[in-house]
C-alpha cells in the first residue's frame, strides 16, 4: 500500500497536483479502509435500537374549544381558545409547565339580556337618541394562567413520546365583553361599561390527558387530547348595576370540557442515546 501511494504521488509534477492525486486515492479507498472497523449505528428503524428519554425544554402554542358547565353554562354557549405554554420534561418523563390560555367567541345564552337592566326595554336596546342600537356586540371571554406537573407514559421504544397526563392550578377570569361600535349608548361609555360586564375571577384547576408526540428530529412535535377545568369564581367588581353591591356574593362553581391541540417548539435538549457497534 505504501509503495502504491509513493508511485501515485510521483506522478504529479507539482505539489498541488500531488496533493490532489493523494486526496483522490484516499476517497477512492475509503470504503475499503473503513471495512472491518467499528462504527456507530443509530438507526431508529433497527429493532435492537433502544432510545432513552431525554431532558427537554419547549415552548408551545395551542388551539382548542370548550363546552361550559355550571354557572358558565347558564351564561354562555361553547367557545374557542388559543394559548401558549412553556414545558420542561425531565429524563424520567415528568413535566413541569406554565400555561396561559385565552378563550373567546362564547355567545350569550340569555337572549333576554336581563343583566343590562334598564338598558334593555321591550326587547330593544335604545341608544342616546332614542333609536334602536344596532352596533352592540356581546360575547363571553375567559382567561387562565396556571402552573402544573405531569407525566409522559411511553407506549413504545421511543421514550420521549406517549400518553401525557397533567394537572395545573391557577387563576381563571371571565366576563361579558360589551362593544358599542357606534358609540351611541352613553350608559356604556368609559367605566360605566364595567357595571354591566359581570367580571368574575377565582381559583381554578385544569387537567389534560392526551398523546404527546416528540419526533426524533424534533422538527414536528405536537400534543392533542381532552381537557377539563374546574372554576370557583366570584364577582371582581364592587357593584353590578342590575344586582347591587357584590360584597356578600359567594363563589360559584363552573367548568369547561373540551379538546386541545398544540405544536411544540424545542428550545433545549440534553440528549441521551444508546449506541451499538457493528463490524
Amino acid at each position: 500500500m505504501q509503495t502504491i501511494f509513493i508511485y501515485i504521488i510521483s506522478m504529479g509534477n507539482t505539489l498541488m497536483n500531488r496533493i490532489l492525486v493523494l486526496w483522490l486515492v484516499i476517497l477512492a479507498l475509503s470504503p475499503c479502509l473503513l471495512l472491518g472497523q467499528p462504527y456507530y449505528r443509530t438507526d431508529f428503524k433497527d429493532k435492537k435500537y433502544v432510545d432513552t428519554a431525554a431532558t427537554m425544554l419547549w415552548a408551545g402554542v395551542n388551539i382548542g374549544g370548550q363546552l361550559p358547565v355550571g354557572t358558565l353554562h347558564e351564561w354562555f354557549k361553547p367557545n374557542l381558545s388559543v394559548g401558549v405554554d412553556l414545558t420542561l420534561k425531565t429524563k424520567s418523563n415528568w413535566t413541569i409547565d406554565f400555561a396561559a390560555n385565552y378563550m373567546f367567541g362564547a355567545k350569550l345564552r340569555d337572549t333576554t339580556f336581563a343583566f343590562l337592566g334598564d338598558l334593555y326595554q321591550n326587547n330593544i336596546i335604545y341608544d342616546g337618541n332614542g333609536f334602536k342600537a344596532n352596533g352592540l356586540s356581546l360575547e363571553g371571554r375567559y382567561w387562565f394562567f396556571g402552573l402544573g406537573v405531569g407525566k409522559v407514559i411511553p407506549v413504545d421504544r421511543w421514550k420521549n413520546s406517549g400518553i401525557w397526563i397533567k394537572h395545573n392550578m391557577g387563576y381563571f377570569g371571565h366576563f361579558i365583553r360589551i362593544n358599542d361600535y357606534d358609540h351611541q349608548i352613553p350608559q356604556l361609555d368609559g367605566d360605566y361599561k364595567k357595571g354591566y360586564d359581570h367580571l368574575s375571577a377565582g381559583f381554578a384547576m385544569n387537567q389534560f390527558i392526551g398523546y404527546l408526540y416528540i419526533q426524533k428530529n424534533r422538527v414536528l412535535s405536537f400534543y392533542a387530547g381532552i381537557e377539563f377545568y374546574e372554576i370557583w369564581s366570584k364577582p371582581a367588581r364592587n357593584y353590578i348595576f342590575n344586582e347591587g353591591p357584590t360584597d356578600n356574593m359567594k363563589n360559584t362553581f363552573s367548568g369547561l370540557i373540551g379538546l386541545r391541540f398544540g405544536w411544540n417548539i424545542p428550545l433545549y435538549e440534553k440528549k441521551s442515546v444508546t449506541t451499538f457497534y457493528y463490524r
Side-chain angles (χ1 to χ4, degrees):
M1 181 67 69
Q2 182 179 3
T3 304
I4 295 174
F5 271 88
I6 295 173
Y7 173 75
I8 294 175
I9 292 175
S10 64
M11 294 174 59
N13 297 325
T14 64
L15 178 61
M16 185 61 68
N17 289 339
R18 293 177 181 178
I19 294 175
L20 179 59
V21 172
L22 179 60
W23 272 110
L24 290 174
V25 173
I26 293 176
L27 290 174
L29 295 178
S30 57
C32 300
L33 296 174
L34 292 175
L35 189 63
Q37 300 297 323
Y39 68 99
Y40 292 106
R41 181 180 179 88
T42 56
D43 184 2
F44 290 102
K45 296 180 181 179
D46 193 314
K47 294 182 179 180
K48 296 181 180 180
Y49 183 88
V50 179
D51 186 34
T52 56
T55 299
M56 298 179 182
L57 176 68
W58 67 74
V61 294
N62 59 74
I63 59 173
Q66 291 86 23
L67 298 172
V69 297
T71 302
L72 282 178
H73 175 75
E74 297 174 4
W75 281 90
F76 305 111
K77 296 181 180 181
N79 62 273
L80 300 174
S81 70
V82 294
V84 295
D85 51 77
L86 183 66
T87 304
L88 172 67
K89 188 184 78 66
T90 67
K91 180 177 172 60
S92 57
N93 273 349
W94 286 98
T95 63
I96 303 172
D97 73 297
F98 167 78
N101 296 321
Y102 186 70
M103 296 156 234
F104 59 95
K107 296 182 179 180
L108 268 69
R109 196 176 295 276
D110 181 8
T111 57
T112 65
F113 302 112
F115 66 93
L116 292 176
D118 293 338
L119 277 180
Y120 195 74
Q121 300 177 11
N122 301 322
N123 295 328
I124 298 175
I125 299 175
Y126 294 94
D127 62 21
N129 299 317
F131 298 104
K132 180 180 179 180
N134 295 315
L136 188 64
S137 171
L138 304 169
E139 179 186 335
R141 297 285 180 98
Y142 328 135
W143 60 91
F144 173 76
F145 302 94
L147 290 170
V149 297
K151 179 71 173 180
V152 178
I153 304 172
V155 294
D156 57 21
R157 296 188 307 275
W158 179 244
K159 305 303 181 183
N160 293 302
S161 298
I163 298 172
W164 191 16
I165 302 173
K166 65 175 181 173
H167 177 82
N168 288 43
M169 295 185 293
Y171 180 85
F172 192 99
H174 58 88
F175 77 115
I176 302 170
R177 184 175 182 268
I178 305 173
N179 270 337
D180 175 22
Y181 294 106
D182 294 336
H183 301 286
Q184 295 295 322
I185 306 176
Q187 297 94 325
L188 297 179
D189 285 344
D191 289 340
Y192 286 114
K193 189 185 299 183
K194 297 179 180 179
Y196 297 101
D197 67 6
H198 284 254
L199 174 66
S200 300
F203 174 74
M205 297 189 297
N206 165 247
Q207 299 83 35
F208 174 88
I209 179 169
Y211 189 80
L212 172 68
Y213 178 74
I214 304 293
Q215 195 181 47
K216 297 176 179 67
N217 61 13
R218 314 299 189 261
V219 175
L220 178 63
S221 300
F222 64 88
Y223 63 88
I226 187 171
E227 64 176 355
F228 307 90
Y229 286 88
E230 300 87 34
I231 307 149
W232 292 266
S233 61
K234 64 182 301 184
R237 306 290 190 200
N238 294 327
Y239 194 90
I240 300 175
F241 286 159
N242 69 313
E243 296 184 19
T246 62
D247 296 339
N248 297 323
M249 293 185 179
K250 298 181 180 180
N251 285 315
T252 59
F253 176 78
S254 300
L256 293 170
I257 303 173
L259 300 174
R260 186 169 296 278
F261 175 85
W263 177 53
N264 297 329
I265 305 169
L267 301 178
Y268 168 81
E269 176 183 355
K270 183 178 181 181
K271 294 184 177 180
S272 178
V273 179
T274 302
T275 305
F276 293 91
Y277 292 88
Y278 294 85
R279 286 185 177 276

